[in-house]
Amino acid sequence: MLENLKDFQAAMTAVQPPAVIEEVEALPITEPLELLFYSGAGGWMTSLVLNPDGSFVGEYSDANYDTVYVCQFHGQFGNVGKLTDASWLLTMEELVLDTGHELGEQWDVTEEGYTIHYIASEPYGFDGMNWTALESGAQFILYSPKAAGHEPGTELYGAVKFQTCLHKRREFLSEDDVLGCWGLQNMETGHGFFESTDT
């Protein structure tokens, strides 16, 4: 059944003509955009600030009692291409981990008699299928709040994994059903970051 569904989605998407990418000079935002990728029930979250010039800074943390997995990072998007009026293809040109510790390194911090055990981790959300940090050339799609997904050829059609990362569930049944906030999709994993004011 699952294989039949995947075949159906692939066939429906395949009938659309290839996307025409229009190169643009800058991102379609005029001020820093705060985006979040997080668990609805657990203690992990990756926060991201995306700037109009394509630069970004982020931080991942996952707390489990007194142990915290952490990663701080920054980077740059470039080669911006407009896919539709509500979506843009971004190519990651650089990703730098700023945690200050080697991956897997562990250290303790004690404050007011309470000790927290930290472990340097990968940047969840900016990693690939192998759970390691993405390399230069990785692609993302930035969606505006007007992105739709009700039929083949619309921005979010078939982007099921991305939609499941959205905590305010939306059904895309007609052209009036739109994302309602900015979103950023990691094209390798399908994971999504969403505007922190409307997640």
Side-chain angles (χ1 to χ4, degrees):
M1 179 78 172
L2 180 59
E3 287 302 316
N4 291 341
L5 179 59
K6 288 180 180 178
D7 291 342
F8 174 73
Q9 289 176 334
M12 291 301 292
T13 305
V15 300
Q16 297 302 310
V20 176
I21 301 176
E22 173 190 342
E23 289 187 25
V24 294
E25 294 184 6
L27 296 182
I29 55 176
T30 57
E31 56 187 41
L33 184 61
E34 296 183 18
L35 302 163
L36 297 176
F37 169 49
Y38 67 100
S39 166
W44 64 265
M45 178 175 70
T46 303
S47 60
L48 182 75
V49 176
L50 177 62
N51 297 304
D53 65 358
S55 64
F56 59 85
V57 294
E59 182 173 359
Y60 162 71
S61 66
D62 182 3
N64 185 7
Y65 297 103
D66 60 351
T67 298
V68 182
Y69 294 85
V70 294
C71 181
Q72 295 175 331
F73 58 95
H74 76 273
Q76 181 72 45
F77 286 118
N79 194 25
V80 180
K82 183 177 180 181
L83 296 171
T84 69
D85 287 341
S87 63
W88 296 261
L89 182 66
L90 313 179
T91 300
M92 192 184 73
E93 297 178 340
E94 179 184 46
L95 177 63
V96 179
L97 305 188
D98 301 316
T99 311
H101 297 267
E102 295 293 325
L103 286 172
E105 185 179 343
Q106 304 183 32
W107 68 100
D108 293 331
V109 175
T110 302
E111 292 183 6
E112 298 179 1
Y114 186 74
T115 300
I116 299 177
H117 185 69
Y118 290 95
I119 302 174
S121 180
E122 300 282 0
Y124 193 35
F126 272 72
D127 56 347
M129 296 301 291
N130 60 359
W131 300 90
T132 61
L134 291 169
E135 296 183 3
S136 298
Q139 294 186 319
F140 287 71
I141 293 181
L142 179 66
Y143 300 100
S144 84
K146 295 182 179 179
H150 62 289
E151 64 183 9
T154 55
E155 294 85 9
L156 301 175
Y157 185 83
V160 177
K161 192 164 189 179
F162 175 74
Q163 292 179 32
T164 61
C165 296
L166 183 64
H167 292 285
K168 283 189 177 177
R169 295 288 303 212
R170 290 181 177 82
E171 292 187 355
F172 297 95
L173 304 176
S174 76
E175 61 184 13
D176 296 325
D177 300 320
V178 294
L179 185 57
C181 64
W182 287 92
L184 181 69
Q185 181 182 15
N186 176 336
M187 293 303 293
E188 183 168 337
T189 62
H191 290 148
F193 291 78
F194 296 93
E195 191 174 2
S196 61
T197 57
D198 189 14
T199 52

